[in-house]
Amino acid sequence: MPKAPMNVEELREVKDRILDIAAGIVMEDGFENLSMRKIGGKMGIAAATLYYYYSNKDELNIAIRKRAGELLYDELLEAYGSGKDLKDRAWLMMKAYLEFGVSRPNYYSIMFDSSAPGHSDYLGTKLEAAAREELESSMRSAELMLTCMKEFARAGYGLPADLELVRITLWSELHGLVSLYNNHLLKELGYPSEKDVIGAARLFYEFILAIYEPGTGPGKRIEVKDD
């Protein structure tokens, strides 16, 4: 008797599993060594079967990046909505970013540390539209961070006028901690646990708050227009 076709949820589960395994291969062996054969071997299925879900590894790459962006955004959004006040909301978002990076190193790696092709590499190709959609999806996390920065400015924190630069500075700090942890360099320095990463970020956050607290910060209060 023929096997019944998969429903939408079952299909999504299979595709997500393919992406999980593919992202792990990219992290361990590099994008250039990703192949349907390797994925199929880890899943215990024929490589040819995978073409039913993804036509080539570039399509896989875009799908991995999109899934990574969606996962990160969902966690940041949940953190943003659960904070009891502005300072708590910002901290929970920072913590969520770090936890995503250390708990999903395969996805984090392909988003930020991998040599896999990015959006600009697909310009002028058949995958340009899909790559643009992936980029827009991934940028939602950056936009949410900027929204939080604007809330701090409206609350009277003396942030520098260039909030984009503030966002890059904050992201660089968080990215650096995740990368040092995932590369095991923090372990070599005697800080082997995820708690150490969280603690370092908390110290940085409290330092920033102390500098830019309303009424005491060195920066000039800036006016932020409503979006």
Side-chain angles (χ1 to χ4, degrees):
M1 186 175 179
K3 184 178 179 180
M6 289 184 288
N7 59 38
V8 174
E9 184 61 30
E10 290 172 333
L11 180 61
R12 178 60 183 264
E13 289 178 359
V14 173
K15 295 184 77 170
D16 285 349
R17 187 176 174 223
I18 293 171
L19 297 181
D20 289 344
I21 292 173
I25 292 172
V26 172
M27 183 182 73
E28 294 173 4
D29 302 331
F31 178 75
E32 63 276 8
N33 293 311
L34 176 65
S35 69
M36 295 299 191
R37 179 184 57 78
K38 281 190 176 182
I39 298 170
K42 288 181 177 292
M43 294 184 68
I45 61 176
T49 304
L50 296 172
Y51 289 99
Y52 172 77
Y53 304 99
Y54 297 100
S55 60
N56 53 55
K57 74 178 195 176
D58 282 305
E59 187 176 312
L60 263 173
N61 175 47
I62 293 172
I64 293 169
R65 289 176 175 274
K66 184 178 179 182
R67 175 163 162 74
E70 290 171 346
L71 289 170
L72 176 58
Y73 176 75
D74 288 345
E75 294 187 17
L76 291 178
L77 186 61
E78 181 179 355
Y80 180 84
S82 62
K84 63 180 182 292
D85 55 33
L86 177 57
K87 289 194 289 186
D88 187 51
R89 185 157 59 240
W91 166 244
L92 290 177
M93 288 176 65
M94 292 174 64
K95 188 168 179 284
Y97 181 97
L98 295 170
E99 290 173 343
F100 172 84
V102 301
S103 66
R104 296 180 180 273
N106 52 347
Y107 282 104
Y108 191 88
S109 174
I110 202 169
M111 287 179 75
F112 300 121
D113 294 325
S114 172
S115 60
H119 165 260
S120 61
D121 295 300
Y122 294 107
L123 296 178
T125 73
K126 293 180 179 179
L127 291 173
E128 179 176 349
R132 185 185 310 112
E133 184 179 343
E134 175 272 314
L135 178 64
E136 292 171 353
S137 176
S138 298
M139 286 302 296
R140 290 187 302 167
S141 293
E143 291 165 1
L144 186 59
M145 289 178 65
L146 186 59
T147 294
C148 197
M149 300 288 179
K150 290 179 179 179
E151 290 175 354
F152 272 96
R154 292 191 182 99
Y157 284 78
L159 297 177
D162 190 344
L163 292 182
E164 291 281 359
L165 189 57
V166 176
R167 179 173 63 177
I168 291 174
T169 301
L170 175 60
W171 174 69
S172 298
E173 173 69 18
L174 298 179
H175 174 65
L177 285 171
V178 172
S179 296
L180 288 171
Y181 178 85
N182 287 346
N183 290 332
H184 308 294
L185 293 177
L186 285 181
K187 183 178 181 179
E188 293 183 10
L189 295 174
Y191 297 96
S193 74
E194 183 178 328
K195 289 183 179 180
D196 296 319
V197 175
I198 302 298
R202 183 70 193 187
L203 183 63
F204 173 77
Y205 183 52
E206 291 175 351
F207 179 69
I208 294 299
L209 288 179
I211 292 177
Y212 295 111
E213 193 79 28
T216 62
K220 180 180 179 181
R221 181 176 176 179
I222 58 176
E223 296 297 327
V224 178
K225 297 180 180 179
D226 293 331
D227 295 327

